[in-house]
Amino acid sequence: MTVNREIHLASRPQGWPTADNFRLVTTDVPTPGPGQIVVRNRFISVDPYMRGRMNDVKSYVPPFQLDAPLDGGAVGEVVASEADGFKPGDTVLHGLGWREYALVDAKGARTVDPNLAPVSAYLSVLGMTGLTAYAGLLDVAAMKSGETVFVSGAAGAVGSMVGQIAKLRGAARVVGSAGSAAKVERLRALGFDAAFDYHDGPVRDALKAAAPDGIDVYFDNVGGEHLEAAIGAMNLHGRAAICGMIAQYNATEPPAAPRNLALLIGKRLTLRGFLVGDHGHLREQFVQEMAGWLRDGKLSYDETVVDGIENAPEAFLGMLRGENLGKMLVRV
Amino acid sequence: MTVNREIHLASRPQGWPTADNFRLVTTDVPTPGPGQIVVRNRFISVDPYMRGRMNDVKSYVPPFQLDAPLDGGAVGEVVASEADGFKPGDTVLHGLGWREYALVDAKGARTVDPNLAPVSAYLSVLGMTGLTAYAGLLDVAAMKSGETVFVSGAAGAVGSMVGQIAKLRGAARVVGSAGSAAKVERLRALGFDAAFDYHDGPVRDALKAAAPDGIDVYFDNVGGEHLEAAIGAMNLHGRAAICGMIAQYNATEPPAAPRNLALLIGKRLTLRGFLVGDHGHLREQFVQEMAGWLRDGKLSYDETVVDGIENAPEAFLGMLRGENLGKMLVRV
């Protein structure tokens, strides 16, 4: 292949994005300058947080630019290098996804071992996704052995890790919510003690049935009704790690407030938002512990793979609609 | 006086309480049994949290019982004692307010020094109220020198302490909201860098004008729109100590705000509810530091005093309406 194809942001979505917000653009394969490498991407990550970057608002990461390629986590092989420490054939993890060939500054790339795990794992269980679950559960929410944990979006890439890590770290009971019967079934197979489809009725009722003695930790990927139900179910000194609120990323109306925030006082609850980037100090411990669990067959991870860069927008949209089980990836 | 008068809960309020929810009842002055004392109350505390106890709902303290005396912080003199360590004439702090004479188990009473401070101070600046401010600001919200602090209900008993303690502990800027022009003026006199009357327009706009570089700590006594504005104004890693939500204690509709909880994620914010009872380990440090500031004239405290046990319900209702400056007390 002598050309490169990449996905540009053609327009900013209002509410739910559509295919029209994206554009497939053909360019030349880039040539590396000093300190740069060119990477042939193999797997590209599409993640919920990218929806926020499509809005033109100040946030913790700058918004995507119109008529320029989107970016995000990717793993691939070095095909040309003008940087020390990288040679053609190396497998690298970097931040310039949504394209077939990426021109990457060496300081933005990290070599990974393709023999330790399938390379896609560096975008999921052994990557940012896994660390998000690990840090949110153990550092932000400070889960202790013997506690009851509830995770929403539990069949997603992060949620499915949260539930399994919780069990491996001694949680007494782990409850997950997901958006289909098939996902609920998968959660049970992954070792969740209880799981429910949030379409089946009020989250509050389902959570009460699944955790009759209340919950100590809530890992929030969804927000809204899920967060309100979790606050209601929390035991004294409960903690919520707020990782995402996918329920409202495409909302055009402000969400209704959780109506029960006053419970924070009497129950002495803590809600804490976090970004994985603040928890890099856990990376070594995370990799060691996760790799051990993977090696021992104690940890499973799901991937939903869509083929072809031209289908990256559809993969992203499907992920927002919850069509993925585990990590949504584009194979290039 | 040979009779005792006390206030009973006659009925449970729906929304805002009224005088009809209370009843003045005359009884005999009690006689102490073994291990008990009888206290002639001098000052009785009326506090926002008592509103919650008037509802028949499970909470962190049991609900008040119908046709029985209300209770709460009080200070008075021992008039009869059958308990070691207490003798007539001692001034004691205890939990059986809303009555002229209280029959108190000795383990529920603590002797205080009436020469160190006016006895009413043990219900305000040197008591639970002061410790609430101190612990919430310094322990729960972990305020650091150089930070910007916002406190709502800032002219109240707790809020006025929060603002002054923040300044004394090195806050760069302290902003308070209150419910009248007179209160705003008082906040400026107490050393607040900025203050506003929340009736004058959206809290969000007033806060932005008062703290153009954002806030690091929010001490919440009000909830609702105030909390939403604080979340919007918070800088990265901001912390809110949630002490009260007086805006909604009498609400019969669910609150409309905050609608912006998704900001917790990108800004890595923490909301933490607390009760002063969990922070007793700070009491010694608190008393020493506060007494020093009082002695040095660095700390002012306001009291709004209503006379007569028969007026305790009106004092309580006035406190809910915000008619007090500083601590609302009933002098018996």
Side-chain angles (χ1 to χ4, degrees), chain A residues 90-109:
Chain A
D90 284 354
T91 300
V92 295
L93 179 68
H94 64 93
L96 296 178
W98 293 85
R99 66 200 80 185
E100 291 175 318
Y101 289 89
L103 178 66
V104 183
D105 285 335
K107 65 179 187 302

Side-chain angles (χ1 to χ4, degrees), chain A residues 71-285:
Chain A
D71 57 59
V75 65
E77 285 134 36
V78 176
V79 292
S81 173
E82 294 291 336
D84 291 343
F86 294 89
K87 60 181 189 306
D90 284 354
T91 300
V92 295
L93 179 68
H94 64 93
L96 296 178
W98 293 85
R99 66 200 80 185
E100 291 175 318
Y101 289 89
L103 178 66
V104 183
D105 285 335
K107 65 179 187 302
R110 186 160 62 83
T111 307
V112 296
D113 182 351
N115 301 311
L116 188 67
V119 297
S120 61
Y122 292 102
L123 295 175
S124 60
V125 59
L126 293 177
M128 192 187 77
T129 302
L131 183 57
T132 299
Y134 188 92
L137 181 70
L138 302 178
D139 201 19
V140 179
M143 187 207 86
K144 295 185 289 287
S145 176
E147 292 191 317
T148 294
V149 175
F150 172 46
V151 53
S152 56
V158 172
S160 59
M161 288 300 120
V162 170
Q164 293 181 84
I165 295 169
K167 289 299 287 185
L168 288 163
R169 278 294 199 99
R173 187 169 181 79
V174 174
V175 176
S177 73
S180 74
K183 288 181 178 180
V184 166
E185 191 176 338
R186 178 63 185 152
L187 294 181
R188 298 208 173 103
L190 288 174
F192 283 66
D193 298 289
F196 60 87
D197 181 346
Y198 64 83
H199 298 101
D200 287 348
V203 176
R204 174 186 170 152
D205 296 346
L207 182 55
K208 197 172 181 73
D213 296 328
I215 64 173
D216 304 297
V217 165
Y218 173 50
F219 192 106
D220 192 13
N221 291 308
V222 174
E225 185 194 354
H226 273 85
L227 178 57
E228 181 171 296
I231 290 170
M234 273 200 179
N235 297 324
L236 290 188
H237 303 290
R239 292 90 59 205
I242 313 290
C243 178
M245 294 195 173
I246 199 168
Q248 60 203 61
Y249 290 168
N250 297 305
T252 49
E253 300 282 318
R259 291 162 294 185
N260 56 358
L261 281 183
L263 293 178
L264 265 60
I265 303 167
K267 298 203 280 187
R268 293 88 120 185
L269 307 181
T270 300
L271 309 185
R272 178 172 288 169
F274 76 102
L275 295 178
V276 65
D278 289 340
H279 301 271
H281 61 283
L282 290 176
R283 182 176 289 279
E284 275 308 303
Q285 174 190 331

Side-chain angles (χ1 to χ4, degrees), chain B residues 50-264:
Chain B
M50 294 171 176
R51 175 62 187 85
R53 295 190 64 193
M54 293 175 186
N55 297 332
D56 189 18
V57 294
K58 187 182 152 196
S59 182
Y60 56 93
V61 278
F64 291 128
Q65 296 303 302
L66 286 177
D67 302 316
L70 299 160
D71 59 58
V75 65
E77 286 134 36
V78 176
V79 294
S81 172
E82 294 292 336
D84 290 344
F86 294 91
K87 60 181 189 304
D90 284 354
T91 300
V92 294
L93 178 69
H94 64 94
L96 296 179
W98 294 85
R99 67 200 80 186
E100 291 174 319
Y101 289 89
L103 178 66
V104 182
D105 284 336
K107 66 178 187 302
R110 187 160 61 85
T111 307
V112 296
D113 182 352
N115 300 313
L116 187 68
V119 297
S120 62
Y122 293 101
L123 294 176
S124 61
V125 59
L126 293 177
M128 191 187 77
T129 302
L131 182 57
T132 298
Y134 188 92
L137 181 69
L138 303 177
D139 200 19
V140 179
M143 187 206 87
K144 295 184 291 284
S145 177
E147 292 192 317
T148 294
V149 175
F150 172 47
V151 53
S152 56
V158 171
S160 60
M161 289 299 120
V162 170
Q164 293 180 85
I165 295 169
K167 290 298 287 183
L168 288 163
R169 277 295 198 98
R173 187 169 181 80
V174 174
V175 175
S177 73
S180 74
K183 288 180 177 179
V184 166
E185 191 175 337
R186 178 62 184 153
L187 293 182
R188 296 206 174 103
L190 289 175
F192 282 67
D193 298 288
F196 60 87
D197 181 346
Y198 63 84
H199 298 102
D200 288 349
V203 176
R204 174 187 171 151
D205 297 345
L207 182 55
K208 195 169 182 76
D213 296 328
I215 64 173
D216 304 295
V217 165
Y218 174 50
F219 193 105
D220 192 15
N221 292 308
V222 174
E225 185 193 354
H226 273 85
L227 178 56
E228 178 170 299
I231 290 169
M234 272 200 179
N235 296 324
L236 290 188
H237 303 291
R239 291 90 60 202
I242 313 290
C243 178
M245 294 196 172
I246 198 167
Q248 59 203 63
Y249 290 169
N250 297 306
T252 49
E253 299 284 317
R259 294 161 296 187
N260 58 354
L261 284 182
L263 293 177
L264 265 59

Side-chain angles (χ1 to χ4, degrees), chain A residues 50-65:
Chain A
M50 295 172 175
R51 175 62 188 86
R53 294 189 66 193
M54 293 175 186
N55 298 331
D56 190 18
V57 294
K58 187 181 151 195
S59 183
Y60 56 93
V61 279
F64 291 126
Q65 297 302 303

Side-chain angles (χ1 to χ4, degrees), chain A residues 6-14 20-23 25 53-57 62-71:
Chain A
E6 57 191 29
I7 305 293
H8 287 203
L9 185 65
S11 57
R12 298 197 182 280
Q14 307 292 322
D20 291 343
N21 298 126
F22 302 91
R23 184 185 300 126
V25 174
R53 294 189 66 193
M54 293 175 186
N55 298 331
D56 190 18
V57 294
F64 291 126
Q65 297 302 303
L66 286 177
D67 302 316
L70 299 160
D71 57 59

